[in-house]
């Protein structure tokens, strides 16, 4: 498509030609919402989901979008060479998929998944970090290597966990290989071109082999280098951590992000520390589709966003909270 049509909207044909009707309905809703409202989101790192309790106590509301962490489902966690901190993080994160089911079925909210993927081979401790693994992502994209086989094995394992959501036709905002612009995670450690190839391998495998037609593909890097192409992405996003208590419309960051695509794409704040200013966004209409506040201190304390600012955001007409989310499927 050629970006916006006569109605001033984006073309939102799913990048997966076999996408479910529910995916299409959600993308159409996003299309209408973009520039007219923003979806409130919160990442939850543990099964206790203390961030949600905090928001509910502070605002009387819940976010429309909940983020879930998949790190504990990584098949290659080296428990023998892991710190207490790592083991605790894994333990507290176990069974987050049960929480996701509950969120979808009981609350009727939207879901997005983040996978801090412990490296498929080698590695110790929190091996999603480059510094804790010798796993070579540049070898993982080469067919026939041990690294490639390990990569596909982990991908297939995760696909099986995602399949029940597909069977029940639940759309997932799927944000794989997040922060691919950086070298801090193994998938970005060999540069953006390698990260791009990893994403394309997953895209092909998940759409063609596993037929996970419920995934909405979210690319998460502001770099033009390594962009995977408009035909493999539904929504572009970036992660931002502004200074504590700095709340703006993030216009400049939006303008930078949309430079990576030849055609206009829906754009989101995949992760954020201090929340954006909802009153400012209502004025300027910078079309961020959602923001997802990160977990722990970002989402359950006043260190980055005061309760007053949170209330102002969640009670603003421009904010889509859980109670304002239409039933789309």
């Amino acid at each position: 498509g050629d970006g916006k049509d006569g109605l001033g909207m984006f073309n939102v044909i799913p990048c997966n030609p076999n996408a479910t009707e529910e995916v299409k309905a959600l993308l159409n809703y996003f299309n209408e919402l973009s520039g007219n409202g923003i979806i409130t989101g919160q990442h939850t790192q543990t099964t206790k989901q203390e961030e949600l309790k905090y928001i509910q106590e502070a605002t009387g509301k819940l976010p429309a979008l909940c983020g879930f962490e998949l790190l504990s489902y990584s098949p290659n966690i080296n428990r023998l060479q892991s710190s207490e901190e790592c083991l605790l993080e894994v333990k507290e994160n176990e069974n987050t998929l049960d929480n996701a089911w509950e969120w979808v079925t009981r609350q009727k909210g939207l879901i997005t998944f983040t996978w801090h993927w412990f490296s498929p081979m080698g590695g110790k401790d929190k091996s999603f970090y480059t510094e804790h693994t010798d796993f070579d992502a540049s070898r993982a994209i080469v067919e026939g290597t041990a690294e490639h086989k390990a990569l596909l094995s982990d991908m297939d394992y995760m696909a099986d966990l995602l399949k029940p959501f597909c069977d029940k036709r639940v759309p997932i905002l799927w944000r794989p290989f997040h922060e691919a612009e950086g070298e801090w995670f193994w998938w970005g450690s060999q540069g953006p071109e390698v990260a791009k190839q990893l994403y394309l391998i997953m895209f092909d495998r998940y759409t063609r082999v596993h037929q996970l037609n419920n995934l909405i593909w979210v690319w998460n890097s502001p770099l033009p280098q390594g962009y995977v192409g408009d035909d493999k992405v539904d929504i572009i996003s970036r992660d931002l951590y502004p200074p504590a208590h700095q709340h703006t419309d993030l216009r400049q960051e939006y303008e930078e992000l949309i430079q990576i695509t030849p055609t206009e794409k829906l754009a989101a704040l995949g992760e954020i520390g201090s929340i954006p200013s909802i009153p400012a966004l209502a004025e300027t209409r910078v079309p961020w589709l959602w923001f997802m506040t990160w977990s722990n201190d970002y989402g359950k304390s006043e260190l980055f966003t005061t309760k007053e600012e949170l209330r102002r955001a969640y009670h603003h007409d421009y904010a889509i909270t859980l109670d304002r989310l239409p039933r789309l499927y």
Side-chain angles (χ1 to χ4, degrees), residues 82-97:
S82 286
S83 62
E84 288 299 311
E85 184 196 350
C86 172
L87 293 172
L88 179 64
E89 190 167 341
V90 170
K91 184 167 174 42
E92 288 186 334
N93 177 251
E94 282 167 2
N95 305 316
T96 48
L97 285 174

Side-chain angles (χ1 to χ4, degrees), residues 23-219:
V23 163
K24 292 175 188 169
L26 192 50
L27 285 173
N28 284 331
Y29 168 66
F30 286 166
N31 196 12
E32 290 165 21
L33 182 67
S34 184
N36 296 306
I38 189 168
I39 291 164
T40 54
Q42 177 62 56
H43 184 65
T44 60
Q45 192 161 326
T46 67
T47 40
K48 283 186 178 168
Q49 296 187 292
E50 289 166 352
E51 298 88 356
L52 294 183
K53 297 182 184 103
Y54 179 88
I55 292 171
Q56 195 157 30
E57 282 171 16
T59 70
K61 290 176 175 264
L62 283 168
L65 170 68
C66 192
F68 297 89
E69 177 61 68
L70 300 176
L71 66 85
S72 69
Y73 296 93
S74 302
N76 187 45
I77 299 173
N78 180 350
R79 291 170 189 275
L80 290 175
Q81 290 180 281
S82 286
S83 62
E84 288 299 311
E85 184 196 350
C86 172
L87 293 172
L88 179 64
E89 190 167 341
V90 170
K91 184 167 174 42
E92 288 186 334
N93 177 251
E94 282 167 2
N95 305 316
T96 48
L97 285 174
D98 295 344
N99 289 18
W101 274 115
E102 178 126 333
W103 183 256
V104 166
T105 53
R106 186 177 293 180
Q107 302 283 12
K108 310 291 188 210
L110 303 174
I111 55 173
T112 182
F113 289 156
T114 304
W115 185 11
H116 284 88
W117 182 350
F118 284 72
S119 64
M121 278 171 66
K124 60 185 193 300
D125 204 48
K126 298 183 186 184
S127 65
F128 42 85
Y129 288 126
T130 304
E131 64 181 319
H132 293 313
T133 185
D134 55 5
F135 184 72
D136 187 344
S138 66
R139 287 183 57 77
I141 63 176
V142 180
E143 285 189 33
T145 62
E147 288 86 350
H148 186 71
K149 288 182 184 129
L151 180 82
L152 295 188
S153 174
D154 276 17
M155 270 188 201
D156 292 346
Y157 179 84
M158 184 57 72
D160 286 343
L161 295 177
L162 297 177
K163 190 150 192 346
F165 291 91
C166 187
D167 293 342
K168 289 274 196 265
R169 304 181 71 92
V170 174
I172 296 170
L173 295 165
W174 180 242
R175 186 177 67 111
F177 306 110
H178 66 289
E179 299 176 6
E181 75 273 15
E183 295 181 355
W184 43 89
F185 297 132
W186 63 257
W187 50 89
S189 64
Q190 305 300 313
E193 276 304 316
V194 170
K196 169 183 178 175
Q197 295 307 318
L198 292 168
Y199 178 101
L200 293 175
I201 290 167
M202 177 183 274
F203 183 90
D204 177 69
R205 200 159 183 89
Y206 278 15
T207 55
R208 198 173 48 81
V209 180
H210 293 288
Q211 297 179 350
L212 292 171
N213 297 325
N214 63 320
L215 301 183
I216 292 175
W217 289 82
V218 181
W219 175 245

Side-chain angles (χ1 to χ4, degrees), residues 4-5 7-14 20-41 62-65 108-111 171 173 216 234-235 266-267 287-291 316-329:
K4 297 213 165 196
D5 60 28
L7 297 170
M9 292 180 180
F10 300 88
N11 276 343
V12 283
I13 297 160
T20 63
E21 291 305 315
E22 291 79 5
V23 163
K24 292 175 188 169
L26 192 50
L27 285 173
N28 284 331
Y29 168 66
F30 286 166
N31 196 12
E32 290 165 21
L33 182 67
S34 184
N36 296 306
I38 189 168
I39 291 164
T40 54
L62 283 168
L65 170 68
K108 310 291 188 210
L110 303 174
I111 55 173
L173 295 165
I216 292 175
D234 293 308
I235 297 167
L266 295 165
W288 291 115
L289 180 57
W290 75 76
F291 68 88
H316 200 286
D317 283 348
Y318 195 76
I320 305 300
T321 46
L322 185 63
D323 55 308
R324 297 187 62 201
L325 189 67
R327 293 285 167 88
L328 299 160
Y329 43 82

